[in-house]
Amino acid sequence: VVASLAYPVVTHWAWSGTGFLRYSDGANGPHHSSFGPAFVDCAGSGVIHCTGGVGGLLGAILAGPREDRFRYPHAYAPHNITLIVLGTLFMWFSWYAFNSAAIFSDRNEDEGTSAMLTAVTMNTAISPSASGLVTFSIFNIQCHNPNECVQYTCNGILAGLVSITAAGGEVRAWEAA
């Protein structure tokens, strides 16, 4: 339902060039938005993650919590920390290719592609590193089980990757942290 109804509408608003979030007055004119500056979305993160996040939130609200989730919290503990860390590292490595490919698909060579690629790659390294360190620092104080600290750190790394995807080429290095 989300893929067939919600995504086409939201992507038209942002990516078509005629939607109210980003449109142009002429063939090569500057882009505008109905609300001011044009919508900027480096790798589709704003449209994809916002739409999917709202859909996931609505699904979680409608479904409610899992049965006995809060009565027996240890029954839902992660079972294999090694696979969690390995999956996080795979996703982190793949994120470099994903963000970099988005730069090449949206720009011409004469528009400063190499400078933008450098900034995106650097920010893709800084943001998950910083968020992983912050998450580890916060949860290391209250974790009684080291496996929980590793799980939370991996979640922080993934949150940093998701958060830098849309703004990877638009922020400075200190802002990525």
Side-chain angles (χ1 to χ4, degrees):
V1 173
V2 173
S4 62
L5 298 178
Y7 279 127
V9 173
V10 177
T11 55
H12 173 75
W13 292 343
W15 296 339
S16 71
T18 59
F20 73 93
L21 292 176
R22 184 180 175 96
Y23 64 88
S24 177
D25 292 333
N28 291 325
H31 287 90
H32 305 284
S33 168
S34 298
F35 306 106
F39 180 72
V40 176
D41 194 8
C42 180
S45 179
V47 172
I48 300 300
H49 290 123
C50 185
T51 307
V54 169
L57 177 64
L58 291 175
I61 290 170
L62 291 174
R66 291 174 283 186
E67 188 175 330
D68 294 331
R69 166 68 174 99
F70 299 106
R71 186 183 304 171
Y72 306 109
H74 296 295
Y76 293 95
H79 299 286
N80 195 330
I81 298 299
T82 305
L83 290 179
I84 291 173
V85 172
L86 188 62
T88 302
L89 292 175
F90 283 160
M91 289 189 72
W92 194 347
F93 182 74
S94 300
W95 225 275
Y96 289 109
F98 176 74
N99 275 3
S100 301
I103 297 304
F104 285 114
S105 69
D106 195 31
R107 298 192 174 271
N108 295 328
E109 192 63 40
D110 58 347
E111 293 182 27
T113 304
S114 62
M116 180 68 75
L117 180 63
T118 303
V120 168
T121 305
M122 180 179 61
N123 290 338
T124 304
I126 291 172
S127 181
S129 300
S131 62
L133 286 172
V134 168
T135 307
F136 176 77
S137 300
I138 291 171
F139 285 103
N140 193 32
I141 296 169
Q142 66 182 15
C143 283
H144 303 293
N145 181 355
N147 288 343
E148 288 181 2
C149 290
V150 173
Q151 174 193 358
Y152 292 137
T153 302
C154 288
N155 283 338
I157 290 169
L158 293 176
L161 288 168
V162 169
S163 67
I164 201 60
T165 303
E170 307 298 326
V171 297
R172 293 181 215 109
W174 68 271
E175 295 169 328

